[in-house]
Amino acid sequence: MTTVLPGPTLPGPIDPPARLLMGPGPISAYPSVLRAMSAPLVGQYDPFMTTAMAETQELYRGVWNTTNDATLLIDGTSRAGIEAAIVSLVRPGDRVLVPVFGRFGHLLAEIAERAMAEVHTIETAWGQVFTPAAVEQAIVRVRPTLLALVQGDTSTTMNQPLDEIGEICARHGVLFYTDATASLGGNPFEADAWGVDAASAGLQKCLGGPSGSAPLTLSPRAVEVVTSRKKVEAGIREDGDPDAADFVRSNYFDLGMILDYWGPRRLNHHTEATSMLYAARECARVLLAEGREAVIERHRLAGAAMLAGVQGLGLQVFGDVAHKMHNVVAVEIPAGVAGDAARQAMLDDFGIEIGTSFGPLHGRVWRIGTMGYNARRDTVLTTLAALEQVLRRFGASVPVSGGVEAAADVYAGAA
């Protein structure tokens, strides 16, 4: 006799609640990005697909402000872009220098260590950044092959100045990689002018898309390193293909083969994530259609308004405000206020998400973002109005309309 087991109870169609994502990321995507993701799929070598890939490359040259031919997407979250850059540029035993000023500097160091590099770090207090002189002093002492440096670290909200770092690296024969996940699109970034050899980012912050695709750009100097380590996998190798002895120890993140996939050869390394390609293309198209500098200014203005607003509520801002990213602010949680419970009240009662932080800042600060589609006057004012009500309910004494009025004054002054 056959026993028939009861089938699983099927969930209904996906139906997420309405949320205003005002944390450190992910954020609410541009509506046109979500529409782009619903476009029909095509084959990976369909002329429409390869044209869309080429268009995306050109769009991101505009976003990074570079002429680098090697500008493309890594299929995966922003961490996939970081890992692809580091494992492809770093040989086992290479020295890598990582200046750490927050959680994500520690991440770069860990990925470099997993790539079997000899990792050296320098650290500064969370909430501060490094001077060019401090970076150069460490380069002279360590003599690294690669400097890996976060631009905007959302764990602390700090924006590390990069404009002098590339020249320092070039002068000492060091490759310069930067993680611009949290900063690209909302803060100045000049890949060529700053002498950046490799940079990667994600869509879920200032670019206004979902997590899942990692824009990446490589200078010709970085491409030389990648090419010198090139090894094409056996199943697709052709006569004359290189077979380097110290090949990249990851297949998926091997930039040598990925460059061939995005280039004229169209090497079948993987199947491109079509819907994410559409999303990434639209993120860049929206940014460039509005104007790169205009988008950065919109982020600056929204960030300035939110900064004034939280100060207008009497909240203490964490870190060196002079080096704060445009797109996120960290505020000290007032004494006596249950930080996680207050964040939950923001979500439950107003549908607004703000974030806490990591490590030594977990439970000490809230991080409030103004980025991408949400770098707007209405989202800033709505968040501040909701935060005022929640703070008052949790026992904090805050000025009536202090946050909204201070932020509105910033916008009025910019009109």
Side-chain angles (χ1 to χ4, degrees), residues 232-307:
V232 178
E233 65 185 71
I236 55 177
R237 187 180 303 151
E238 298 178 1
D239 289 343
D241 276 342
D243 189 15
D246 67 339
F247 56 88
V248 175
R249 291 314 199 249
S250 168
N251 178 290
Y252 189 74
F253 294 129
D254 184 344
L255 287 177
M257 287 195 288
I258 294 172
L259 286 170
D260 271 344
Y261 181 66
W262 281 82
R265 186 176 178 185
R266 298 294 174 190
L267 181 75
N268 183 223
H269 174 258
H270 65 280
T271 301
E272 181 60 21
T274 310
S275 298
M276 287 307 307
L277 171 74
Y278 295 166
R281 179 185 180 279
E282 183 63 11
C283 286
R285 193 198 67 80
V286 166
L287 184 148
L288 296 177
E290 182 177 345
R292 186 172 177 271
E293 297 306 317
V295 173
I296 292 172
E297 172 57 23
R298 174 162 60 83
H299 280 80
R300 187 206 64 76
L301 181 58
M306 183 62 78
L307 174 63

Side-chain angles (χ1 to χ4, degrees), residues 82-345:
I82 297 169
E83 189 147 349
I86 291 176
V87 302
S88 295
L89 292 172
V90 175
R91 293 176 169 88
D94 279 354
R95 291 183 183 178
V96 174
L97 174 63
V98 184
V100 176
F101 61 100
R103 175 201 168 178
F104 294 102
H106 288 297
L107 173 64
L108 300 191
E110 176 170 324
I111 291 174
E113 183 177 17
R114 288 172 182 261
M116 301 181 69
E118 179 187 314
V119 180
H120 297 255
T121 61
I122 55 173
E123 296 194 37
T124 190
W126 286 31
Q128 304 297 316
V129 296
F130 291 93
T131 64
V135 174
E136 182 166 23
Q137 183 180 43
I139 286 173
V140 169
R141 174 175 53 84
V142 173
R143 294 179 288 110
T145 299
L146 178 80
L147 174 75
L149 179 59
V150 175
Q151 183 187 30
D153 195 314
T154 47
S155 68
T156 66
T157 77
M158 293 297 103
N159 188 3
Q160 170 66 48
L162 302 180
D163 54 318
E164 298 180 46
I165 304 298
E167 187 276 330
I168 292 170
C169 287
R171 185 153 30 89
H172 293 282
V174 176
L175 283 171
F176 175 28
Y177 163 73
T178 185
D179 167 24
T181 297
S183 49
L184 184 67
N187 304 266
F189 194 97
E190 306 293 334
D192 289 356
W194 294 350
V196 175
D197 288 302
S200 64
L203 304 185
Q204 73 275 17
K205 309 278 188 177
C206 302
L207 293 178
S211 179
S213 184
L216 179 143
T217 190
L218 300 172
S219 73
R221 192 160 71 121
V223 171
E224 285 182 13
V225 175
V226 170
T227 302
S228 72
R229 305 185 68 198
K230 193 168 181 181
K231 175 186 176 72
V232 178
E233 65 185 71
I236 55 177
R237 187 180 303 151
E238 298 178 1
D239 289 343
D241 276 342
D243 189 15
D246 67 339
F247 56 88
V248 175
R249 291 314 199 249
S250 168
N251 178 290
Y252 189 74
F253 294 129
D254 184 344
L255 287 177
M257 287 195 288
I258 294 172
L259 286 170
D260 271 344
Y261 181 66
W262 281 82
R265 186 176 178 185
R266 298 294 174 190
L267 181 75
N268 183 223
H269 174 258
H270 65 280
T271 301
E272 181 60 21
T274 310
S275 298
M276 287 307 307
L277 171 74
Y278 295 166
R281 179 185 180 279
E282 183 63 11
C283 286
R285 193 198 67 80
V286 166
L287 184 148
L288 296 177
E290 182 177 345
R292 186 172 177 271
E293 297 306 317
V295 173
I296 292 172
E297 172 57 23
R298 174 162 60 83
H299 280 80
R300 187 206 64 76
L301 181 58
M306 183 62 78
L307 174 63
V310 295
Q311 290 173 329
L313 288 171
L315 300 178
Q316 182 69 37
V317 176
F318 171 79
D320 177 6
V321 173
H323 289 106
K324 185 187 79 65
M325 282 188 286
H326 290 164
N327 50 297
V328 62
V329 63
V331 297
E332 302 273 359
I333 299 171
V337 172
D340 288 343
R343 285 198 308 119
Q344 191 63 45

Side-chain angles (χ1 to χ4, degrees), residues 314-386:
L315 300 178
Q316 182 69 37
V317 176
F318 171 79
D320 177 6
V321 173
H323 289 106
K324 185 187 79 65
M325 282 188 286
H326 290 164
N327 50 297
V328 62
V329 63
V331 297
E332 302 273 359
I333 299 171
V337 172
D340 288 343
R343 285 198 308 119
Q344 191 63 45
M346 289 280 289
L347 192 66
D348 292 342
D349 297 341
F350 297 96
I352 298 174
E353 179 180 280
I354 62 174
T356 182
S357 191
F358 309 102
L361 296 183
H362 180 75
R364 175 182 164 185
V365 302
W366 291 317
R367 294 178 298 157
I368 306 174
T370 48
M371 59 185 91
Y373 181 58
N374 290 344
R376 310 193 313 263
R377 176 188 175 118
D378 62 306
T379 60
V380 170
L381 299 184
T382 298
T383 301
L384 287 166

